[in-house]
Amino acid sequence: MTDQIQLIAPDDWHVHLRDGEMLTQVVAHTARMFRRAIVMPNLRPPVVTVEAAKAYRERIVAACGPSSAFTPLMTAYLTDDIAPDEIERGFLEGVFTAAKLYPANATTNSAAGVTNLRHIHSVLLAMERIGMPLLIHGEVTDVDVDVFDREAVFIERSLKSIRERYPDLKVVLEHITTEQAVDFVGSADRNLAATITPHHLHINRNAMFAGGLRSDFFCLPVAKRERHRLALRRAAMSGDKRFFLGTDSAPHARPGKETSCGCAGIFNAPHALESYALAFSQDDKLDRLEAFASLHGPAFYGLPVNEGVVTLQREDELVPDVVNGLVPFHAGETLPWRLQPCT
Ligand code: NCD
Ligand code: ZN
């Protein structure tokens, strides 16, 4: 049995770092194990200008401290009336790495998102022209569509037409949760990839209802049936370069989780890499972890692979019930991998 594995220093291609006090509480967990992260822009107010993204980037860097090697990669939040020039300028100036499409009201802080794709037609044309990736929260919001079908319906109603209309646009379907997404992304010839979270590799929808209503396992897109979880595991561990790591760590303060209408989001940053390592080792695919965590993402984004390595040691580690006042994913469980810091 392998007792230690070394990986080229990995990146997190989808994370919520929040702002203010929450930022200072959570960012060190991400910076401990990842060299770069794609930082989601769904703040209040959302990050819609180059100036706002620059200022947010500075706050993240300041919160990491001067000795940190962590680089935040910023994203723009697309709205119905966002100007193509602002998106293009931000990308060309190296401030925006990508832009995020939230269908309006699909998830946390998405009320200012896009109500109809036709409103961002000229933005998508500009992004296609300059090679700027579009990151998609792929769920429809129609109330008559079953919550568990929203991703599959989004692929049919929206993603297929985005791919047809903008064939040169680089698209990442974020935090996929269904075998339909695995099949659609896995059959794309180019310019389409997907991120996969650690929690969707470990839980199916039963986790939300085990012994009562468990809001710590509620996130969006919501976890689906077991057959979808197994499809995600196969995709993540397939070696297929279209699938890569994105934790979607999404912390919410306790009052937001412990209420009659709880927030969506799972805080997995404290043990994200250990969680992925557990899944890959359970399926005897540890040899595929490095490509998923450290190689496929940079290749898709056209960025260099990181220098340096991280080491995972086979050693039991108890995940605390609470970290910085937040309940982490795997709370109270013992994980068999312990991460040594980046070198
Ligand atoms: C995210 C959040 O809280 O910002 N929540 C979640 O359940 N994943 C938003 C998102 O990525 O959908
Ligand atoms: Zn997210």
Side-chain angles (χ1 to χ4, degrees):
M1 205 190 326
T2 321
D3 285 331
Q4 189 178 307
I5 53 167
Q6 280 202 338
L7 308 176
I8 293 170
D11 304 298
D12 184 350
W13 299 99
H14 182 127
V15 70
H16 301 268
L17 295 178
R18 311 302 193 208
D19 209 349
E21 190 160 337
M22 180 78 92
L23 168 64
T24 61
Q25 286 170 351
V26 303
V27 71
H29 298 293
T30 295
R32 180 175 81 96
M33 62 186 82
F34 297 113
R35 278 289 158 83
R36 296 171 292 201
I38 287 277
V39 181
M40 288 296 123
N42 61 333
L43 304 181
R44 286 169 198 262
V47 179
V48 293
T49 64
V50 181
E51 288 318 304
K54 267 193 201 164
Y56 184 31
R57 183 169 65 184
E58 279 168 23
R59 294 196 295 280
I60 295 168
V61 169
C64 288
S67 60
S68 174
F70 176 69
T71 302
L73 303 174
M74 310 311 290
T75 56
Y77 181 116
L78 297 180
T79 63
D80 280 349
D81 52 12
I82 197 148
D85 290 356
E86 187 73 8
I87 297 297
E88 183 165 348
R89 181 169 74 85
F91 182 70
L92 297 179
E93 288 181 9
V95 179
F96 293 141
T97 298
K100 179 71 190 266
L101 166 60
Y102 290 104
N105 301 312
T107 186
T108 308
N109 295 346
S110 62
V114 174
T115 59
N116 190 308
L117 285 173
R118 75 185 132 82
H119 297 306
I120 55 166
H121 174 63
S122 49
V123 176
L124 297 183
L125 281 179
M127 290 174 63
E128 182 180 35
R129 177 169 44 78
I130 62 180
M132 180 177 185
L134 175 72
L135 316 183
I136 301 182
H137 183 108
E139 290 193 285
V140 296
T141 56
D142 316 47
V143 284
D144 58 337
V145 175
D146 189 286
V147 128
F148 294 96
D149 295 334
R150 286 183 179 182
E151 181 174 283
V153 173
F154 181 89
I155 292 169
E156 291 302 318
R157 288 191 191 164
S158 300
L159 186 55
K160 284 186 174 171
S161 69
I162 292 174
R163 295 276 301 152
E164 276 163 27
R165 266 182 227 165
Y166 315 98
D168 292 326
L169 181 62
K170 284 186 178 187
V171 174
V172 184
L173 186 58
E174 299 286 342
H175 40 50
I176 58 169
T177 59
T178 57
E179 61 185 5
Q180 289 92 334
V182 167
D183 290 346
F184 188 72
V185 173
S187 59
D189 55 348
R190 65 196 181 107
N191 289 337
L192 182 62
T195 52
I196 301 179
T197 75
H199 41 278
H200 289 114
L201 295 180
H202 286 290
I203 61 167
N204 63 29
R205 62 191 192 175
N206 287 351
M208 288 180 293
F209 308 106
L213 198 52
R214 307 271 300 261
S215 64
D216 289 320
F217 297 106
F218 173 52
C219 63
L220 287 170
V222 72
K224 309 293 192 299
R225 287 175 180 277
E226 179 65 359
R227 84 162 190 272
H228 298 288
R229 185 183 76 93
L230 296 176
L232 296 170
R233 280 175 88 109
R234 282 193 298 274
M237 300 174 200
S238 63
D240 185 327
K241 62 184 190 325
R242 288 166 284 209
F243 300 101
F244 48 84
L245 185 157
T247 65
D248 194 23
S249 181
H252 289 276
R254 290 317 287 160
K257 291 300 269 181
E258 294 175 3
T259 174
S260 61
C261 187
C263 303
I266 293 179
F267 176 50
N268 60 33
H271 296 87
L273 208 52
E274 295 91 327
S275 178
Y276 283 114
L278 172 61
F280 279 65
S281 61
Q282 283 168 337
D283 289 6
D284 207 13
K285 291 282 170 28
L286 272 177
D287 56 327
R288 300 267 167 89
L289 181 58
E290 182 178 65
F292 175 76
S294 315
L295 302 178
H296 296 167
F300 186 83
Y301 276 85
L303 293 169
V305 169
N306 290 320
E307 289 178 10
V309 295
V310 294
T311 304
L312 284 158
Q313 191 79 34
R314 195 182 281 275
E315 197 180 307
D316 283 354
E317 185 173 21
L318 176 67
V319 178
D321 289 337
V322 177
V323 175
N324 300 110
L326 304 161
V327 175
F329 185 50
H330 295 297
E333 287 175 45
T334 297
L335 298 181
W337 292 99
R338 186 186 287 270
L339 179 74
Q340 315 289 319
C342 289
T343 55

